Amino acid sequence: MVATLINKMSDKFDLFSDYTCELGEGPFWDSIKNRLLWVDIIGKKIISQSMKSSDVDTIEVDGNPGCAVLSSDGGLVVGIDNNISLINNEGGVEKLTGTKEGEGLRFNDGKCDPSGRFWIGSMDRKEKQKIGSLYSWNPIEGLVNREQGITVSNGIGWSPDHDLFYYIDSPTRKVSAYDFDLSTGRIENKRMFITFNEEDGFPDGMTVDNAGRLWIAFWGGSKIMCIDAHTKKVEEVILFPVSKITSCAFGGEQMDQLFVTSAKVQVTEDDEPMAGKTFIVSPGVKGLPSFNLKLI
């Protein structure tokens, strides 16, 4: 179980975007355009907003987008339902690859490793059965099934030296760690890294800072929790006025801002008026960058 709490802060966040998502997820920092990308899975939209403006751009897609990343040529790559697709500047969609898992599953969280592979996991839409998988994809290796028996594939992250891979299957309330080979994408020697209590909620999306600490969002827990990778102690908890915190990513010009997405699923506006908003936090540390998908 998690170790003793060190810091607990409830007033550290600001509102980054006033745009309200049904199910906000997958924040991705675009360092070229100085903007945040994220998705509304239920709302079927890909959203972007720059640091210098409150204007929001949206792209509507035909399906549930689990996550969005950028490709090496600046294109937008999205996991929609069971497909990985490229969206061009005119909004056209080109399928790059896909699974044959069927309508009962869909892609959820995903991100790219430092070599440019796109890692993306699938989940049971009913969140009951262990029928999902974790995949990686690039044009050379194709779609590779890296892990099976997943119920709700969620947080993905790597240690700063790229020797460790962290992964969350939310209903287990655990973060698993694997040995990671960056050259091949192989993950092996799976072990339990940390287990959370029921009162914490369900671990959801996560990111890693440049010191190797894990920053984990908690669905039903109203918080982001920072875990020291060596001691496994909780170094900080950031509380939010919404129950369903879904994911987080570092960004900003100095990579010292933490962007936090949320959902308003099964909550009322009276109870949680800020549910579905995207928040920004200055945690006093710097994060690792969001990597792009290498197409060539």
Side-chain angles (χ1 to χ4, degrees), residues 157-203:
W158 291 267
S159 60
D161 61 9
H162 313 143
D163 287 342
L164 293 176
F165 174 73
Y166 300 108
Y167 182 54
I168 293 172
D169 180 4
S170 289
T172 67
R173 300 186 194 272
K174 296 178 181 179
V175 178
S176 296
Y178 300 74
D179 295 332
F180 181 69
D181 186 331
L182 182 60
S183 63
T184 65
R186 180 178 297 173
I187 55 174
E188 57 189 1
N189 189 25
K190 178 182 179 181
R191 62 270 194 192
M192 189 276 291
F193 174 74
I194 195 166
T195 301
F196 298 100
N197 298 311
E198 184 175 349
E199 55 266 30
D200 287 322
F202 293 98

Side-chain angles (χ1 to χ4, degrees), residues 10 36 49 73 115 122 148 168 177 182 217 236 248-250 262 271 284 286 289 294:
S10 58
L36 186 73
Q49 181 175 323
D73 62 359
S115 73
S122 62
Q148 303 82 41
I168 293 172
L182 182 60
E236 187 169 329
C248 54
F250 280 98
S262 71
D271 290 337
K286 293 185 177 182
K294 187 176 181 180

Side-chain angles (χ1 to χ4, degrees), residues 26-27 46 49 60 70 245 263:
I46 302 154
Q49 181 175 323
E60 190 166 354
L70 292 177
I245 299 298

Side-chain angles (χ1 to χ4, degrees), residues 46-276:
I46 302 154
I47 308 146
S48 65
Q49 181 175 323
S50 77
M51 289 289 288
K52 298 180 180 180
S53 173
S54 60
D55 294 338
V56 173
D57 293 320
T58 63
I59 299 173
E60 190 166 354
V61 294
D62 185 17
N64 299 118
C67 58
V69 301
L70 292 177
S71 66
S72 52
D73 62 359
L76 186 62
V77 180
V78 188
I80 305 174
D81 292 337
N82 297 318
N83 297 324
I84 297 173
S85 299
L86 178 67
I87 300 179
N88 61 34
N89 292 332
E90 290 73 41
V93 179
E94 174 191 350
K95 178 181 173 181
L96 298 174
T97 190
T99 72
K100 298 179 180 179
E101 291 183 335
E103 295 182 356
L105 294 96
R106 68 165 174 84
F107 280 136
N108 200 38
D109 207 356
K111 61 183 63 173
C112 295
D113 69 24
S115 73
R117 290 183 197 86
F118 187 22
W119 290 74
I120 186 167
S122 62
M123 60 170 281
D124 174 20
R125 287 182 181 267
K126 296 182 179 179
E127 304 180 15
K128 300 293 184 182
Q129 300 184 68
K130 298 179 180 181
I131 53 177
S133 294
L134 174 67
Y135 300 90
S136 71
W137 181 82
N138 65 24
I140 296 175
E141 297 171 347
L143 192 66
V144 181
N145 191 315
R146 301 288 185 178
E147 187 67 284
Q148 303 82 41
I150 307 302
T151 304
V152 180
S153 183
N154 253 313
I156 293 170
W158 291 267
S159 60
D161 61 9
H162 313 143
D163 287 342
L164 293 176
F165 174 73
Y166 300 108
Y167 182 54
I168 293 172
D169 180 4
S170 289
T172 67
R173 300 186 194 272
K174 296 178 181 179
V175 178
S176 296
Y178 300 74
D179 295 332
F180 181 69
D181 186 331
L182 182 60
S183 63
T184 65
R186 180 178 297 173
I187 55 174
E188 57 189 1
N189 189 25
K190 178 182 179 181
R191 62 270 194 192
M192 189 276 291
F193 174 74
I194 195 166
T195 301
F196 298 100
N197 298 311
E198 184 175 349
E199 55 266 30
D200 287 322
F202 293 98
D204 202 317
M206 69 174 163
T207 191
V208 180
D209 68 26
N210 63 4
R213 291 173 292 238
L214 279 63
W215 296 77
I216 303 170
F218 282 84
W219 177 276
S222 303
K223 62 178 175 281
I224 295 287
M225 188 180 289
C226 174
I227 309 292
D228 185 282
H230 303 290
T231 65
K232 300 183 182 179
K233 288 183 178 180
V234 179
E235 291 202 343
E236 187 169 329
V237 170
I238 304 170
L239 300 177
F240 296 87
V242 301
S243 59
K244 292 169 180 176
I245 299 298
T246 56
S247 193
C248 54
F250 280 98
E253 292 184 359
Q254 303 299 319
M255 291 303 296
D256 59 353
Q257 302 294 305
L258 187 68
F259 298 93
V260 179
T261 52
S262 71
K264 66 173 187 176
V265 178
Q266 298 176 338
V267 300
T268 67
E269 187 172 352
D270 289 341
D271 290 337
E272 298 182 18
M274 298 185 76

